[in-house]
Amino acid sequence: MKKLLHVLLLPAIMLMLLTSCNTETTHYNYTFRGESETWSAVFEQEASQKLVIKNDRVKDSVSSKRYSFELKYKGKQSDLGEIKQLTYKYKGRSGGGSQTMEGPVPVALLKMGGNGSGSFEHEDSVIKVNVEWDGHSEEFELKNGK
């Protein structure tokens, strides 16, 4: 009898837990683009946020994101080899990144990315980019293409 009670009790408890809590997942997958006279950039993000809802109230929130940033020189790629020093940085609502390098500038180092949890860019975010090289400087914004 006790064995039968245990077999029936476990599924009943699981059913109560499943019906009392609800989860809702929202995805925030965006591509932000922008350019200046000499440079262009793309920031891509795949993010999601899961809300745990109990009794019509948010009890917990878990987010995850994967992102990449790529800076592109609009001139001839061979001209990158003539740059003696390059610094670029980008900054959005959820953070940013920067890179400084001595020339010649390898194209592979004009990319960065990562993943993790925490804040992420929203549809209306604006990402500010600053590029400085050999006494020159350009700033521009990346916006969501929608």
Side-chain angles (χ1 to χ4, degrees), residues 37-138:
E37 184 178 327
T38 311
W39 302 92
S40 68
V42 176
F43 180 90
E44 294 181 311
Q45 167 190 274
E46 293 178 9
S48 65
Q49 182 177 38
K50 182 187 286 187
L51 301 177
V52 178
I53 302 167
K54 184 175 181 179
N55 299 329
D56 295 330
R57 296 182 72 189
V58 175
K59 294 293 184 185
D60 195 14
S61 172
V62 178
S63 64
S64 65
K65 66 181 175 181
R66 182 174 41 218
Y67 63 92
S68 65
F69 174 83
E70 183 175 4
L71 181 68
K72 294 180 182 175
Y73 181 67
K74 293 168 72 174
K76 290 188 249 175
Q77 294 303 302
S78 59
D79 293 344
L80 284 173
E82 297 175 17
I83 295 175
K84 294 183 179 26
Q85 184 170 1
L86 173 75
T87 299
Y88 68 92
K89 54 188 165 190
Y90 69 94
K91 176 98 173 97
R93 287 182 185 172
S94 68
S98 65
Q99 180 85 1
T100 298
M101 60 192 82
E102 301 292 324
V105 175
V107 174
L109 291 181
L110 298 177
K111 300 176 185 178
M112 62 176 73
N115 56 47
S117 60
S119 62
F120 47 85
E121 299 301 329
H122 289 271
E123 183 177 21
D124 62 346
S125 294
V126 174
I127 301 169
K128 297 187 181 290
V129 178
N130 179 281
V131 184
E132 297 177 3
W133 73 104
D134 297 342
H136 302 280
S137 178
E138 291 182 2

